[in-house]
């Protein structure tokens, strides 16, 4: 299979979005005690060729033993602890947030995780948005088997080379050794092509555009919750086309869908671009990516779209009769976003208090905390709180009333802040008397984010809440853009690149270096080419490594 460099995308590329330019704590044993920090990281949502694979951030150690001996800490003990400050230990902070915000727990098999309801609700919100976009762009959902004959994987040479180290194989079924071992789905290009070959006969059958929501298995020993686990959830789209132009348009269209999702829903200012040859998906001609800067300034590959050319269709004989009756191989794409995006949301927006969710992806946008001291105040406060809840719910706002009386209001404030709920409404006896509420913003800590005396009247309260949710959504994106842009440094020499990477920042500079030059950068700095951004500066440039004329700049960074 050949890997072709793709021409530079103009800032006026028709499929590009204008968004591009805007663009002493308690740690529960359930997560923190089974991970240890490693010195290197690996970036890809999809595995790379074996020559370019890199190790991930964390090592999963003795998970099964820990699972058997696990003891849940009672809530009262959790109250006495807290979340590790981000600046003190970013990894410990991340694991604390996942545990204490009840996003996930570990599974009994090493390297697996259980996504808890609050964490899964974020994934559901991602699914809800993308499902609509996929169908608007002509795709249909379906499902392929989880078990794939090993012979399918072997048909595309670079594909099997890239995946072999991570395959989970089934060799025994029903108590008998299987005639052919089966692969537990690591991705579905092979089985999709097997079926496409049966379904596609004529140009009238094209384009064929499908998507599936599924789990995949990658046998990884170095893991991090949501970011890299033995099994994870994703969507994978697969399309077949009559011409290379249609396939390229599709690949670009889907990376645009992902980019808009990241900006508009997740408030993450990703940088879309093309992967280098070294980082291209095993079996693709070109890979497009969205790269996000996390709170520790490492890069996260948050979604990818691949132009597969005819590599898989030739391997599987996926052909069609064109309008002249000639047999042609189809041109294909595949594209995916996974539950690693949940980890990206945590690491982009969270702070020392815990999770901070963008309102459009939050399963609880507003939490109501009633406050009373005397028994005779309870009923009227709860009645008012319930009325406010009903008003907001009727207006389509995702609201929760925390009317439990086992916890103090202060405990509830901290708990819901830690879970990242965008807005909190407080209602006490005085508020009931005045017909008003107190509203606090999660993204603005303390008194500056608190407003008193907002009327309970639906005509006032509903538009106020909606306005504040929109403000928070925009504020999170603006803050992330500022952070990203302040940590990208333009460089013109290899020495400048090395210095920038040593400071933990992203380096952006002209590049026409060879694959060997790229691997040298990785070996000496730990950084990889994240992408050649679609937005490219104008004017003459010289490669930072070779000094030769360069048409493009590339972004280098350490990554997950």
């Amino acid at each position: 299979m050949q890997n072709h460099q793709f021409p530079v995308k103009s800032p006026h590329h028709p499929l590009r979005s204008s968004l591009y330019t805007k663009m002493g704590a308690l740690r529960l044993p359930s997560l923190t005690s089974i991970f240890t920090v490693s010195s290197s990281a690996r970036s890809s949502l999809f595995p790379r060729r074996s020559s370019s694979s890199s190790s991930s951030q964390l090592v999963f150690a003795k998970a099964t033993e820990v699972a058997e001996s696990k003891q849940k800490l009672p809530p009262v003990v959790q109250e006495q602890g807290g979340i590790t400050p981000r600046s003190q230990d970013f990894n410990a902070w991340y694991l604390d947030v996942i545990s204490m915000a009840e996003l996930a727990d570990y599974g009994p098999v090493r390297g697996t995780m259980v996504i808890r309801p609050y964490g899964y609700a974020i994934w559901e919100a991602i699914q809800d948005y993308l499902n609509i976009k996929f169908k608007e762009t002509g795709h249909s959902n379906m499902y392929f088997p989880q078990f794939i004959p090993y012979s399918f994987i072997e048909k595309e040479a670079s594909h099997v080379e890239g995946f072999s180290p991570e395959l989970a194989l089934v060799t025994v079924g029903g108590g008998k050794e299987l005639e052919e071992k089966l692969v537990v789905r690591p991705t579905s290009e092979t089985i999709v092509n097997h079926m496409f070959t049966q379904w596609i006969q004529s140009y009238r059958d094209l384009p064929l555009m499908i998507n599936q929501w599924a789990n995949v298995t990658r046998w990884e020993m170095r893991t991090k919750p949501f970011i890299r686990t033995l099994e994870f959830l994703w969507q994978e789209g697969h399309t077949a086309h009559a011409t290379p132009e249609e396939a390229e348009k599709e690949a670009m269209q889907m990376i645009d869908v992902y980019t808009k999702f990241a900006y508009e829903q997740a408030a993450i200012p990703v940088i879309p671009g093309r992967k280098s040859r070294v980082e291209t998906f095993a079996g693709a001609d070109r890979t497009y990516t969205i790269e996000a800067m996390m709170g520790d300034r490492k890069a996260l590959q948050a979604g990818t779209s691949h132009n597969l050319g005819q590599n898989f269709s030739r391997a599987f004989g996926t052909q069609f009769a064109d309008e002249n009756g000639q047999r042609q191989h189809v041109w294909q794409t595949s594209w995916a976003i996974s539950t690693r995006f949940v980890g990206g949301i945590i690491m982009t927006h969270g702070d020392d208090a815990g999770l901070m969710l963008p309102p459009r992806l939050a399963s609880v946008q507003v939490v109501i905390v009633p406050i009373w001291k005397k028994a005779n105040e309870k009923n009227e406060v709860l009645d008012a709180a319930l009325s406010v809840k009903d008003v907001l719910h009727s207006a389509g706002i995702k609201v929760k009333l925390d009317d439990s009386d086992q916890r103090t209001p202060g405990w509830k404030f901290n708990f819901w802040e830690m879970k990242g709920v965008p807005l909190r409404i407080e209602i006490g006896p005085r508020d009931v008397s005045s017909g008003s509420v107190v509203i606090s913003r999660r993204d603005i800590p303390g008194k500056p984010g608190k407003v008193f005396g907002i009327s309970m009247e639906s005509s006032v309260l509903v538009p106020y809440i909606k306005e504040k949710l929109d403000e928070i959504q925009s504020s999170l994106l603006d803050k992330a853009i500022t952070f990203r842009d302040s940590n990208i440094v333009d460089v013109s020499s290899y020495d400048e690149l090395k210095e920038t990477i040593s400071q933990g920042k992203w380096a952006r500079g002209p590049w026409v270096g060879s694959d060997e030059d790229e691997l040298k950068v990785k070996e000496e700095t730990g950084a990889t080419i994240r992408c050649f951004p679609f937005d490219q500066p104008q004017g003459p440039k010289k490669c930072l490594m070779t000094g030769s004329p360069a048409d493009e700049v590339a972004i280098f960074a350490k990554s997950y």
Side-chain angles (χ1 to χ4, degrees):
M1 184 202 74
Q2 292 181 333
N3 289 301
H4 305 288
Q5 285 279 42
F6 193 63
V8 179
K9 283 285 172 282
S10 159
H12 305 293
H13 190 285
L15 288 171
R16 286 186 55 259
S17 166
S18 61
L19 285 168
Y20 295 168
T21 57
K22 187 175 180 181
M23 345 209 289
L26 172 71
R27 296 198 292 275
L28 302 184
S30 58
L31 288 171
T32 55
S33 66
I34 59 177
F35 293 102
T36 56
V37 177
S38 172
S39 61
S40 59
R42 194 169 80 176
S43 65
S44 61
L45 172 64
F46 292 107
R48 303 291 169 219
R49 307 179 189 282
S50 57
S51 62
S52 65
S53 63
S54 55
S55 55
S56 72
Q57 176 75 7
L58 300 166
V59 178
F60 219 133
K62 298 183 179 178
T64 303
E65 291 89 337
V66 173
E68 292 173 351
S69 63
K70 174 185 174 186
Q71 296 292 324
K72 285 287 187 182
L73 294 178
V76 67
V77 177
Q78 295 184 28
E79 285 184 52
Q80 297 172 1
I83 295 174
T84 303
R86 280 200 345 165
S87 59
Q88 177 181 315
D89 187 332
F90 192 86
N91 176 61
W93 166 84
Y94 177 76
L95 298 176
D96 285 348
V97 170
I98 290 174
S99 292
M100 300 180 75
E102 301 173 333
L103 298 174
D105 210 333
Y106 65 85
V109 175
R110 184 174 68 179
T112 63
M113 71 171 178
V114 176
I115 304 176
R116 301 183 67 177
Y118 198 66
Y120 197 83
I122 301 173
W123 180 237
E124 286 182 314
I126 294 172
Q127 287 179 303
D128 290 344
Y129 175 89
L130 290 179
N131 248 331
I132 292 173
K133 296 302 177 183
F134 294 161
K135 292 174 182 179
E136 286 178 350
T137 48
H139 304 88
S140 300
N141 284 330
M142 61 180 302
Y143 185 78
F144 291 86
Q146 185 177 16
F147 299 117
I148 302 171
Y150 187 76
S151 59
F152 285 16
I153 304 293
E154 292 180 303
K155 285 189 176 183
E156 212 287 330
S158 63
H159 197 62
V160 69
E161 177 187 353
F163 274 98
S164 285
E166 298 176 343
L167 297 181
L169 302 176
V170 179
T171 59
V172 176
K176 297 180 180 180
E177 187 169 342
L178 301 177
E179 291 184 6
E180 179 180 0
K181 54 190 175 184
L182 302 176
V183 176
V184 184
R185 174 176 51 223
T187 184
S188 298
E189 280 78 8
T190 58
I191 195 169
V192 165
N193 266 272
H194 175 77
M195 301 309 300
F196 276 12
T197 299
Q198 300 178 44
W199 299 336
I200 298 172
Q201 304 300 325
S202 162
Y203 71 91
R204 296 182 180 88
D205 299 321
L206 298 173
L208 181 55
M209 303 193 295
I210 61 95
N211 174 70
Q212 76 166 341
W213 295 92
N215 62 331
V216 291
T217 299
R218 310 279 174 84
W219 205 267
E220 310 224 33
M221 300 306 293
R222 301 170 182 271
T223 60
K224 187 184 182 93
F226 288 111
I227 301 303
R228 187 172 299 281
T229 49
L230 191 78
E231 178 191 12
F232 56 90
L233 304 179
W234 74 354
Q235 60 73 210
E236 53 176 319
H238 298 272
T239 67
H241 305 269
T243 68
E245 292 79 12
E246 289 178 12
E248 177 63 17
K249 182 178 179 181
E250 168 74 5
M252 287 295 296
Q253 174 181 246
M254 299 321 294
I255 208 65
D256 185 61
V257 167
Y258 290 160
T259 301
K260 289 179 179 178
F261 161 74
Y263 272 84
E264 296 176 0
Q265 303 297 308
I268 297 179
V270 296
I271 296 178
R274 188 190 77 254
K275 283 291 187 182
S276 68
R277 286 189 299 265
V278 171
E279 292 291 321
T280 294
F281 173 61
D285 281 356
R286 292 178 291 279
T287 290
Y288 302 112
T289 180
I290 52 172
E291 299 290 326
M293 182 180 289
M294 300 294 95
D296 59 353
R297 298 182 295 187
K298 285 186 178 178
L300 182 74
Q301 181 176 286
T304 48
S305 179
H306 311 292
N307 185 330
L308 303 175
Q310 294 179 317
N311 297 310
F312 285 93
S313 64
R314 290 185 181 277
F316 283 81
T318 313
Q319 295 180 299
F320 70 101
D322 66 17
E323 295 183 14
N324 298 317
Q326 300 296 311
R327 301 294 292 174
Q328 306 284 350
H329 288 94
V330 298
W331 301 82
Q332 293 180 266
T333 76
S334 65
W335 27 274
I337 271 183
S338 78
T339 41
R340 89 171 356 206
F341 214 104
V342 177
I345 292 167
I346 299 168
M347 291 193 287
T348 298
H349 301 305
D351 61 11
D352 286 352
L355 188 63
M356 194 180 305
L357 290 174
R360 291 176 188 169
L361 295 181
S363 59
V364 179
Q365 297 172 315
V366 179
V367 62
I368 302 171
V369 178
I371 303 169
W372 68 87
K373 292 183 179 179
K374 301 176 183 178
N376 61 356
E377 297 172 337
K378 179 179 178 179
N379 287 339
E380 65 175 6
V381 168
L382 287 178
D383 287 345
L386 185 60
S387 176
V388 169
K389 177 190 174 183
D390 291 342
V391 165
L392 297 181
H393 179 75
S394 298
I397 296 168
K398 300 172 185 176
V399 58
K400 178 176 179 61
L401 170 60
D402 187 348
D403 57 359
S404 62
D405 53 11
Q406 290 83 23
R407 300 293 182 187
T408 65
W411 187 95
K412 294 178 183 179
F413 293 172
N414 292 332
F415 179 74
W416 292 108
E417 284 178 7
M418 181 264 297
K419 290 179 78 76
V421 174
L423 286 175
R424 181 180 73 240
I425 293 178
E426 304 162 24
I427 302 176
R430 291 184 181 178
D431 302 307
V432 173
S433 299
S434 63
S436 64
V437 298
V438 179
I439 297 177
S440 295
R441 287 176 56 157
R442 172 65 180 86
D443 64 321
I444 304 178
K447 291 183 179 179
K450 181 171 286 194
V451 178
F452 297 84
I454 303 300
S455 173
M456 292 183 189
E457 291 294 327
S458 61
S459 60
V460 175
L461 184 61
V462 168
Y464 183 88
I465 292 293
K466 289 185 175 181
E467 178 185 6
K468 293 306 167 186
L469 291 174
D470 287 342
E471 286 181 10
I472 294 170
Q473 186 80 26
S474 297
S475 175
L476 291 178
L477 177 60
D478 291 343
K479 182 179 178 182
I481 290 173
T482 299
F483 179 79
R484 180 200 66 187
D485 291 349
S486 66
N487 285 288
I488 298 177
V489 178
D490 289 309
V491 299
S492 58
S493 70
Y494 186 39
D495 286 340
E496 290 179 358
L497 182 149
K498 289 190 286 188
E499 175 63 22
T500 298
I501 297 300
S502 71
Q503 296 172 359
K505 297 185 177 184
W506 292 17
R508 179 174 53 201
W511 184 262
V512 290
S514 64
D515 293 354
E516 290 73 23
D517 290 332
E518 184 177 343
L519 294 172
K520 176 184 176 181
V521 173
K522 177 181 176 181
E523 181 180 346
E524 295 183 356
T525 70
T528 55
I529 292 180
R530 304 317 308 152
C531 69
F532 293 90
F534 293 150
D535 282 328
Q536 289 285 332
Q538 303 300 308
K541 296 175 280 290
K542 290 185 178 181
C543 176
L544 65 88
M545 178 69 80
T546 67
S548 301
D551 294 326
E552 299 176 280
V553 298
I555 291 177
F556 294 79
K558 293 182 179 180
S559 64
Y560 283 102

